[in-house]
Amino acid sequence: MKVIQEKLPASQIGLQIEIPSEVSKKAYERVVKEFTRSVNVPGFRKGKVPRQILIQQIGSSRLKAATVEELVENSIKEAVKQENIEALGNIQLRSSFEELVSQFDPAQPLTFSASVDVQPDVVLKQHSGLQIQAEEIKPDPKQVEVALQQYREQMATLVPVEGRAAQMTDVTVVDFKGVLRSDDPEQEPEPIPGGEAQGFQLELTEGQFIPGFIDGIVGMNSGDTKEVEATFPEAYPQPDVAGRDAIFTITLKELKEKEFPELDDEFAQDASDGEFQTLAELQASLEAKFNREAEDKTKSNKEQAVLDELLNYVEVDIPETLIEREVTFMVNQTAMQLQNQGIDVRRLFTENMVDRLREQSRPDAIQRIKLNLAMGEVAKQESIQVQPDELSAKVAELLKELEDQKYDQQIDPERMQAVVSEDLLKEKTVDWLIEHSTFELVPEGTLTEEEDDFEALAEDFEALAGEELAEEDIEVTEISQEISVEDSAVNDLVEAAEPTSKEQQSTQSTADSSVGVEAIADADVDEPVESEAAEKAHKTTKKPKAATED
């Protein structure tokens, strides 16, 4: 088989393939025999139909089309193998199939053109000596003070209040029942679904409830019952109450205030489960932790900055196969993230939705591919490699972490090694780029911070999902939440707040205490976490006494 290669745009190889006449003839005869065995012709048994009658019955064009299709498919595969082409995919017939069929003669050679995607050639105009700006993160001197106050919040006790009215920061226990106000004075007030609770513990802090509710409790005394006007925000997750005025009948059953421990050595011992004996030791540990965090964030900024700069020096013609693969990966990752948030992506992922999401993710996919190819070229030119002992150590570390997490899914060792090796190579390449670049560190907030690709894609998806649901007249809450209306309504009324004192823990649920595989700091103390998401992303060696949310 004769093959002539031609370099095409978008990292494609053109193939002009000539199939010998004897191969064409054999293929045609094989197709005729297959039709003879399978086609039903009145008056003849299968396999006994005369050739000319068969051709008259099904038509010569159909026989030629089947033959050409088989010849093209098989010969492209053979040509790729014969020419040692590392094809990525996207095999396309460049010749007109209809013309090939109309001109096909089993006694003559068949010549046609095709193309395949191949790995692109990467040109790096520069990758060493880059001049880069990056934001320097400096620790906030107030962080230690804030952290200590969070510990005090965790360790606070609640004491009954007598002789005064409720004020902000107090902790209350209330009964309440809410109705929606109607513009029609003759119409009965409409009960709020789930807008009723008894013995509900609530801290009087701003933003804990819908606007007007907390302010209405301030000034009440224990035993008082009062009607409080409140307004649901326009962006409230339940459309049927969003933006509407409501009236809540509230009874204040209990009123308590927080009593905080003194900042002394005993406090430090309790906060650290005995790890630190003095307040000074605890403060020093927290200060060291925040300094390391600032250094890590600065390093992360330098990493991102050097990669962004590298993109300015790479020239590459990306094949469509790689783009489609990356787009598919990004869409799948976004779907997984949204599914973890409780959204029924199977219902939302309509064909139209997927097409629009793929279109939106394409520019980011191209940038990600360019960056990966550029980093691969740097590693190639600078002979950056992952040593076997490095790979073995990292794999063993990850397996140990999975074992500690009681991970019970089957793991493909070869796949795991490949992924870990790729990550280590990228890590070493980034370190090399940082070492061989010059940085100007600028204050935090100086440079524009770009949004994470997956976060941006997830937001785009949610926006598209909102449009899709609006067209179908489906409420987002009916799809993404699998909890009862009553429970969800109460939870929506008040923001999820973790316990702020030991006594509160008995009546208010604590946040998810599950942890990830990354360690936070080396302070060996139960540092307060900023949020439930942050808590899940880290791991501590001590059992936390309590948790707080900003």
Side-chain angles (χ1 to χ4, degrees):
M1 183 171 63
K2 184 178 178 181
V3 179
I4 299 176
Q5 294 190 37
E6 175 190 5
K7 191 169 184 178
L8 300 175
S11 296
Q12 286 190 321
I13 294 293
L15 302 172
Q16 185 176 7
I17 301 173
E18 181 180 305
I19 302 173
S21 57
E22 58 269 21
V23 176
S24 296
K25 187 173 183 179
K26 287 181 180 179
Y28 182 76
E29 294 298 327
R30 184 168 53 252
V31 168
V32 171
K33 288 182 179 179
E34 289 176 358
F35 272 99
T36 300
R37 289 194 296 265
S38 61
V39 172
N40 289 317
V41 178
F44 297 93
R45 290 179 296 168
K46 282 188 178 181
K48 300 299 181 179
V49 183
R51 186 187 188 95
Q52 289 303 318
I53 294 179
L54 176 68
I55 295 175
Q56 292 175 3
Q57 184 73 19
I58 66 175
S60 62
S61 295
R62 185 176 175 186
L63 290 171
K64 289 181 178 182
T67 304
V68 170
E69 183 178 1
E70 178 184 309
L71 285 170
V72 168
E73 182 179 349
N74 293 338
S75 60
I76 291 177
K77 293 179 181 178
E78 185 179 342
V80 168
K81 184 177 181 180
Q82 174 183 307
E83 300 297 310
N84 294 319
I85 299 173
E86 295 183 3
L88 295 175
N90 192 29
I91 299 175
Q92 296 181 346
L93 177 65
R94 300 176 67 202
S95 300
S96 167
F97 183 78
E98 289 76 13
E99 290 184 7
L100 290 176
V101 171
S102 64
Q103 297 172 5
F104 178 69
D105 182 350
Q108 299 296 324
L110 175 65
T111 302
F112 67 93
S113 296
S115 64
V116 296
D117 284 355
V118 294
Q119 279 290 351
D121 295 325
V122 182
V123 177
L124 275 179
K125 294 181 288 185
Q126 181 182 347
H127 65 276
S128 180
L130 302 177
Q131 305 290 322
I132 303 168
Q133 282 188 327
E135 291 188 0
E136 180 181 19
I137 309 300
K138 294 185 177 181
D140 186 346
K142 295 181 180 180
Q143 283 181 296
V144 173
E145 179 182 338
V146 171
L148 291 175
Q149 182 57 34
Q150 287 179 329
Y151 283 129
R152 296 182 74 205
E153 291 278 353
Q154 294 174 11
M155 300 166 62
T157 55
L158 297 179
V159 295
V161 172
E162 297 179 357
R164 70 166 175 83
Q167 59 188 28
M168 296 298 287
T169 73
D170 282 345
V171 177
T172 64
V173 176
V174 298
D175 294 342
F176 67 86
K177 183 176 182 180
V179 295
L180 294 171
R181 176 179 299 209
S182 174
D183 295 334
D184 185 356
E186 297 183 1
Q187 185 176 348
E188 287 292 324
E190 178 185 349
I192 300 173
E196 179 179 1
Q198 287 78 41
F200 190 81
Q201 184 163 288
L202 178 65
E203 183 177 347
L204 303 184
T205 55
E206 201 164 331
Q208 280 283 76
F209 227 83
I210 64 173
F213 194 95
I214 297 293
D215 293 338
I217 297 177
V218 172
M220 293 179 65
N221 290 290
S222 293
D224 286 354
T225 297
K226 177 182 178 182
E227 285 192 349
V228 173
E229 296 183 356
T231 303
F232 285 91
E234 294 290 343
Y236 194 71
Q238 289 181 290
D240 55 338
V241 298
R244 297 185 62 178
D245 295 330
I247 299 176
F248 288 89
T249 302
I250 303 174
T251 299
L252 179 57
K253 301 178 69 176
E254 298 180 35
L255 180 62
K256 301 176 183 179
E257 63 182 355
K258 296 178 183 178
E259 189 175 88
F260 300 105
E262 294 294 329
L263 282 174
D264 52 22
D265 293 344
E266 183 180 353
F267 164 82
Q269 294 168 19
D270 290 341
S272 64
D273 278 345
E275 183 68 22
F276 299 105
Q277 299 303 310
T278 67
L279 180 61
E281 290 177 352
L282 175 58
Q283 290 172 322
S285 173
L286 290 172
E287 184 176 354
K289 169 189 179 294
F290 293 130
N291 286 340
R292 283 191 298 273
E293 287 181 350
E295 292 172 0
D296 290 343
K297 290 177 181 178
T298 300
K299 181 182 178 183
S300 177
N301 289 343
K302 292 170 70 174
E303 291 174 352
Q304 188 59 53
V306 76
L307 295 178
D308 290 342
E309 185 68 14
L310 183 65
L311 280 173
N312 296 326
Y313 297 95
V314 60
E315 293 180 355
V316 59
D317 208 358
I318 304 175
E320 188 63 26
T321 299
L322 292 184
I323 297 174
E324 286 299 310
R325 287 178 186 174
E326 189 66 21
V327 167
T328 299
F329 172 78
M330 293 180 67
V331 171
N332 287 341
Q333 288 293 103
T334 302
M336 290 175 61
Q337 290 181 356
L338 296 174
Q339 183 171 313
N340 290 338
Q341 296 173 15
I343 297 177
D344 186 354
V345 295
R346 288 177 298 180
R347 184 169 183 176
L348 292 180
F349 259 39
T350 63
E351 184 177 351
N352 179 53
M353 173 72 71
V354 172
D355 289 343
R356 294 168 68 186
L357 193 58
R358 291 183 69 88
E359 181 181 352
Q360 288 196 356
S361 61
R362 187 179 175 89
D364 288 334
I366 292 174
Q367 289 296 94
R368 290 161 64 91
I369 295 169
K370 286 180 65 176
L371 182 57
N372 282 334
L373 293 172
M375 291 177 65
E377 186 64 20
V378 172
K380 177 182 176 182
Q381 292 187 22
E382 301 301 333
S383 300
I384 302 172
Q385 297 179 342
V386 176
Q387 300 303 320
D389 58 335
E390 295 175 316
L391 179 59
S392 299
K394 187 63 177 178
V395 169
E397 178 186 336
L398 291 176
L399 289 174
K400 179 65 168 60
E401 290 172 353
L402 292 173
E403 181 182 347
D404 292 342
Q405 290 183 341
K406 294 181 171 52
Y407 187 81
D408 57 358
Q409 301 295 321
Q410 187 173 2
I411 298 174
D412 183 346
E414 291 185 3
R415 174 62 180 160
M416 184 177 192
Q417 285 210 344
V419 171
V420 172
S421 179
E422 182 180 350
D423 287 345
L424 286 175
L425 183 60
K426 289 181 180 179
E427 185 178 312
K428 296 181 72 171
T429 303
V430 172
D431 289 343
W432 188 96
L433 287 167
I434 291 176
E435 183 181 348
H436 293 81
S437 299
T438 301
F439 287 89
E440 177 192 355
L441 295 178
V442 298
E444 182 179 4
T446 303
L447 307 176
T448 303
E449 183 177 347
E450 295 186 0
E451 193 171 18
D452 178 77
D453 287 341
F454 282 140
E455 290 181 1
L457 193 58
E459 290 180 3
D460 290 341
F461 179 89
E462 289 172 337
L464 292 174
E467 296 175 11
E468 192 84 8
L469 291 175
E471 293 171 3
E472 299 178 9
D473 197 27
I474 301 174
E475 295 181 356
V476 174
T477 51
E478 293 177 354
I479 294 176
S480 62
Q481 298 178 358
E482 297 181 356
I483 52 179
S484 67
V485 173
E486 290 76 12
D487 289 342
S488 64
V490 173
N491 289 336
D492 287 335
L493 286 170
V494 58
E495 292 183 356
E498 298 176 7
T500 54
S501 71
K502 295 178 181 177
E503 183 173 340
Q504 279 180 278
Q505 294 185 38
S506 63
T507 56
Q508 195 174 2
S509 62
T510 59
D512 188 351
S513 60
S514 61
V515 294
V517 297
E518 297 178 0
I520 51 168
D522 298 318
D524 291 330
V525 62
D526 310 322
E527 295 87 1
V529 292
E530 297 179 1
S531 66
E532 181 176 316
E535 183 179 6
K536 290 184 178 181
H538 299 294
K539 179 180 181 181
T540 180
T541 56
K542 294 290 184 180
K543 181 180 178 181
K545 300 173 77 67
T548 62
E549 262 187 346
D550 289 341

